[in-house]
Amino acid sequence: MKKIIQNFGTIVLIFLSSFLFSQNTNSSFEIKNSSFLLNGKPFTIYSGEMHYPRVPQEYWKHRLQMMKAMGLNTVATYVFWNYHEESPGKWNFSGEKDLKKFIKTAQEVGLYVIIRPGPYVCAEWEFGGYPWWLQKNKNLEIRTDNKAFLDECEKYITQLTKQIVPLQIDHGGPIIMVQAENEFGSYVEQRKEISLEQHRKYSYKIKDMLLKHGITVPLFTSDSSFYFVGGSIKGALPTANGENNVDVLKKSVDEYHGGKGPYMVAEYYPGWLDHWAEPFVKVSTEDVVKQSEIYIKNGVSFNYYMIHGGTNFAFTSGANYDKNSDIQPDLTSYDYDAPISEAGWATPKYNALRNIFQKLNNNQLPEVSKPVKVISIPEFKITKTASLFDVIEGKKSIVNNQPVTFEDLNIGSGYILYRRIFEKDEKGKLEIKGLRDYATIYINKDFVGELNRINKKYDLDIEIKKGDQLDILVENMGRINYGSEINHNLKGIISPVKINESEISRNWQMFPLPFDEFLKHNFKTKNIPENVPVIQEAEFILDETGDTFLDTRNFGKGIVFINGKNLGRYWKVGPQQTLFVPGVWLKKGKNVIQIFEQLNSNETVKTIDHPILDQLNK
């Protein structure tokens, strides 16, 4: 009985604190006397990063409650410009993209909010958050003091601030800080051909835009401490990403903040990002606990990046650039080895951290939310399959003397099929140095090879007869989101195709395949050769719904839609071998799965009750 009364008292306390938190229109948050002051009293930020586009909206509250139950008082989120401006001038802040709803849900749970709007965000997100069509303006250069670019930034900041200004803490909302630009110091370091003065002209203008459009809460910047020289902005608190040494943190902040704090690590990494064809990275629980305790002991505010990663649904994942592989595309899963798993489960890392915060909160933390129910769907057969070549038969193509890019064809993501009929025999080395990023090659619809920017494989031996049809299916695997190579982000085939060093020009046909929605086809039964790209479809019946994991270990490479939702990319090389299927996207009764498979035709589909994210098949 005593325990029941204690639990009831805890629930009432949490309810009252959340109610008062959400109703107080006289709240304030400021930086003063080397401290964060919440309503005039010193406040330490214990934050976790979660990006609302990576989590179905039905699960936002569950994940935020998980953070609150772990002992955090704040949630940080990036805002992705290209997520909300769906096409030039077309803005969407509704449904899954309802930023206001996410912020209000955090407030309802009892969390403060930090907004990280960029305009550049990195985040392992397609093009670092920039809309792909910015590249179509030849007078525009991103992340510089460039009028064309800054004009676009102001359009974005105008739309953004309409959403967040009314939800700042001094307006009765939960937003306590807003970031100006992001990790700009590392970019300054990589682009030394531009003077520091010129770089600062740009970053200061972003700060001024935020202020002009109504941001009144404190601004901050976020960089590694050794990049403060280029990334810090006067009037914004410098915070140090990944800085484990408290003495270095304090010295760096003091140097660029007038000799005083407060001190914050805006990104402390309890996990790490992951790429296709590379091992899954793990960070030990012991290391995360130890570093968290160091921050707490020294009064350092910090933000776990990520506390909950979620999923890069559809074509939202970005890529890194590496001179050894040219591109490192990010996984569909953004699990990040975070304390809260991709599916929203409490991990051993979560439980260990919660133990620390329990002590800080006198064992008054809420109960941990139960995980969403998980189901396994028994194996079922794929009933409809069609060759991609049959699907595009009779469709209108774009014709040009040279292959053109995704941007030239006015599509951002997906695939392009490049086709050419040869007027004479050709034999030798087919070379596509401008491949961006992955291609399968066919002669008369028969598979002859694969080219791959990841492995820097840009050529193969080929033999073509007069009248033969060459097809090159090119996939955009995500635009680079970090570093100076972000300025070189065109996709498709961006330079001439050559055979034996001779350009193959004239009469190229292009078929754009953006997969904004799945391709429609009547699926007439035909014999389909091996290793040709196919679209596939099947129905399955469910008596109950729940989260599950699509087992892709027997698949090749492609994307999956379920009930019209694009789950994202799979690839047999791993390390990811499952796709997370949110239960809220399933329904009782009939469900439809659709697959675009680039490498081999699949016969059956099944799911399992757990993810496989660390199985690399080199």
Side-chain angles (χ1 to χ4, degrees):
M1 185 67 179
K2 182 179 178 182
K3 186 174 181 180
I4 293 172
I5 293 171
Q6 285 177 335
N7 288 342
F8 178 75
T10 301
I11 291 168
V12 170
L13 181 65
I14 292 163
F15 172 78
L16 287 174
S17 65
S18 296
F19 177 79
L20 292 171
F21 173 87
S22 63
Q23 297 297 314
N24 191 349
T25 56
N26 296 315
S27 296
S28 66
F29 185 84
E30 59 185 331
I31 295 173
K32 191 175 181 181
N33 301 328
S34 291
S35 298
F36 292 122
L37 298 181
L38 177 65
N39 302 325
K41 296 180 180 180
F43 181 73
T44 304
I45 297 170
Y46 299 128
S47 175
E49 187 110 0
M50 166 186 162
H51 304 145
Y52 58 98
R54 286 174 156 142
V55 181
Q57 63 170 327
E58 294 90 343
Y59 292 162
W60 289 348
K61 188 171 184 179
H62 176 268
R63 307 304 198 255
L64 292 165
Q65 287 173 329
M66 292 279 288
M67 295 181 206
K68 186 71 175 178
M70 200 187 95
L72 303 181
N73 55 33
T74 304
V75 59
T77 185
Y78 278 129
V79 180
F80 303 126
W81 175 357
N82 59 14
Y83 186 65
H84 292 289
E85 190 175 11
E86 298 174 333
S87 59
K90 181 187 175 185
W91 296 89
N92 187 354
F93 286 92
S94 63
E96 294 281 354
K97 304 186 179 189
D98 192 340
L99 173 58
K100 281 185 177 179
K101 180 180 178 181
F102 177 76
I103 296 168
K104 289 176 180 178
T105 304
Q107 185 172 26
E108 179 186 338
V109 168
L111 293 171
Y112 294 100
V113 177
I114 294 173
I115 298 292
R116 309 180 69 193
Y120 164 76
V121 295
C122 187
E124 292 71 63
W125 187 267
E126 154 75 13
F127 203 8
Y130 292 129
W132 60 266
W133 60 82
L134 294 182
Q135 300 175 105
K136 292 173 68 68
N137 184 344
K138 304 306 179 186
N139 295 318
L140 185 151
E141 184 179 357
I142 64 172
R143 299 194 89 179
T144 60
D145 183 22
N146 168 275
K147 185 179 185 305
F149 176 59
L150 288 167
D151 286 348
E152 294 297 327
C153 288
E154 184 142 27
K155 293 175 188 176
Y156 163 58
I157 288 172
T158 299
Q159 295 294 328
L160 166 79
T161 49
K162 288 178 184 178
Q163 306 298 315
I164 66 174
V165 163
L167 294 173
Q168 295 177 107
I169 192 167
D170 50 0
H171 291 67
I175 298 173
I176 57 173
M177 289 206 299
V178 172
Q179 184 176 333
E181 240 284 349
N182 181 53
E183 296 179 329
F184 191 57
S186 58
Y187 188 74
V188 170
E189 181 67 20
Q190 292 182 25
R191 298 209 63 191
K192 289 185 176 179
E193 74 276 12
I194 300 175
S195 71
L196 183 58
E197 181 185 1
Q198 283 298 112
H199 278 303
R200 282 186 173 150
K201 281 184 179 179
Y202 158 69
S203 59
Y204 277 57
K205 285 179 180 178
I206 295 299
K207 182 199 78 169
D208 291 343
M209 281 183 200
L210 292 167
L211 297 175
K212 170 186 171 184
H213 289 280
I215 298 302
T216 52
V217 296
L219 296 176
F220 71 101
T221 59
S222 179
D223 277 288
S224 297
S225 57
F226 42 87
Y227 290 140
F228 280 7
V229 63
S232 60
I233 298 174
K234 189 175 181 180
L237 174 71
T239 67
N241 290 353
E243 183 54 75
N244 295 340
N245 188 312
V246 172
D247 291 336
V248 172
L249 168 68
K250 291 182 176 181
K251 181 180 178 182
S252 301
V253 172
D254 287 349
E255 182 178 353
Y256 290 92
H257 196 239
K260 52 191 176 183
Y263 307 105
M264 181 170 179
V265 176
E267 293 186 7
Y268 168 60
Y269 308 111
W272 195 242
L273 58 96
D274 298 284
H275 301 128
W276 292 108
E278 296 178 15
F280 185 83
V281 181
K282 294 185 178 181
V283 177
S284 76
T285 296
E286 293 74 19
D287 287 347
V288 176
V289 166
K290 181 179 178 181
Q291 189 61 46
S292 298
E293 289 176 331
I294 290 171
Y295 290 147
I296 292 168
K297 178 183 176 182
N298 287 276
V300 172
S301 293
F302 59 95
N303 173 49
Y304 291 111
Y305 188 102
M306 302 290 295
I307 193 67
H308 171 54
T311 309
N312 294 316
F313 294 114
F315 300 116
T316 57
S317 59
N320 277 18
Y321 174 80
D322 182 86
K323 63 182 180 181
N324 295 319
S325 59
D326 280 358
I327 195 170
Q328 298 170 291
D330 296 307
L331 299 186
T332 299
S333 171
Y334 201 59
D335 178 86
Y336 215 86
D337 193 34
I340 303 171
S341 77
E342 178 180 13
W345 302 346
T347 65
K349 195 176 290 180
Y350 175 95
N351 293 328
L353 293 172
R354 187 170 186 268
N355 287 338
I356 296 173
F357 287 102
Q358 275 280 28
K359 296 172 186 175
L360 288 179
N361 289 273
N362 298 316
N363 295 317
Q364 294 288 304
L365 292 180
E367 292 295 317
V368 179
S369 301
K370 292 181 179 179
V372 177
K373 180 173 65 176
V374 176
I375 63 172
S376 294
I377 303 172
E379 190 169 30
F380 59 91
K381 288 187 176 181
I382 292 174
T383 53
K384 299 176 180 178
T385 299
S387 163
L388 179 67
F389 299 124
D390 292 337
V391 175
I392 66 170
E393 195 71 38
K395 291 188 182 297
K396 188 176 180 180
S397 64
I398 293 92
V399 179
N400 196 64
N401 284 334
Q402 293 285 356
V404 299
T405 66
F406 276 64
E407 292 75 16
D408 287 332
L409 294 177
N410 213 34
I411 65 170
S413 304
Y415 311 79
I416 297 173
L417 184 71
Y418 296 87
R419 173 173 289 175
R420 192 180 188 279
I421 309 297
F422 280 72
E423 302 90 355
K424 63 177 183 177
D425 294 356
E426 296 279 2
K427 183 179 180 180
K429 191 178 293 294
L430 172 70
E431 187 176 61
I432 313 178
K433 285 188 175 179
L435 173 65
R436 302 291 185 271
D437 300 301
Y438 177 93
T440 43
I441 317 297
Y442 311 87
I443 296 178
N444 298 329
K445 303 178 183 179
D446 290 330
F447 177 79
V448 294
E450 166 195 302
L451 301 180
N452 189 334
R453 189 181 176 195
I454 298 168
N455 299 326
K456 300 179 81 167
K457 183 182 177 185
Y458 294 117
D459 59 62
L460 58 80
D461 292 329
I462 200 166
E463 184 172 357
I464 297 174
K465 301 294 184 184
K466 180 181 178 181
D468 281 353
Q469 175 179 294
L470 172 69
D471 284 307
I472 305 170
L473 178 63
V474 174
E475 177 186 6
N476 165 9
M477 291 197 69
R479 288 179 180 82
I480 291 165
N481 56 256
Y482 179 78
S484 59
E485 284 298 313
I486 198 170
N487 289 284
H488 306 118
N489 253 328
L490 299 178
K491 292 295 183 175
I493 296 177
I494 69 169
S495 65
V497 175
K498 296 181 180 181
I499 296 180
N500 289 337
E501 298 294 326
S502 297
E503 290 186 13
I504 306 301
S505 57
R506 296 186 300 107
N507 299 325
W508 281 97
Q509 295 176 269
M510 271 92 32
F511 298 87
L513 302 165
F515 276 93
D516 297 329
E517 56 184 28
F518 202 79
L519 299 174
K520 293 179 173 63
H521 192 62
N522 57 12
F523 290 101
K524 291 180 180 177
T525 303
K526 286 186 178 182
N527 291 324
I528 300 174
E530 290 185 5
N531 297 321
V532 303
V534 294
I535 62 169
Q536 301 187 293
E537 189 173 301
E539 295 178 356
F540 58 98
I541 307 297
L542 293 178
D543 296 326
E544 62 174 352
T545 62
D547 291 347
T548 192
F549 301 87
L550 183 67
D551 187 348
T552 61
R553 284 175 289 183
N554 293 324
F555 290 11
K557 193 177 197 303
I559 54 174
V560 178
F561 285 65
I562 286 188
N563 295 330
K565 297 279 192 178
N566 186 342
L567 299 181
R569 181 181 287 112
Y570 64 86
W571 191 9
K572 63 184 179 182
V573 301
Q576 180 176 353
Q577 301 291 345
T578 53
L579 285 174
F580 175 57
V581 184
V584 291
W585 293 356
L586 298 172
K587 51 192 175 183
K588 288 184 179 180
K590 186 178 76 171
N591 295 263
V592 177
I593 185 170
Q594 296 166 304
I595 304 169
F596 175 51
E597 169 61 66
Q598 297 161 247
L599 297 178
N600 58 267
S601 182
N602 307 303
E603 296 182 356
T604 61
V605 176
K606 67 176 180 178
T607 74
I608 54 179
D609 62 3
H610 61 280
I612 302 173
L613 300 176
D614 57 359
Q615 184 176 308
L616 193 62
N617 295 324
K618 285 242 180 178

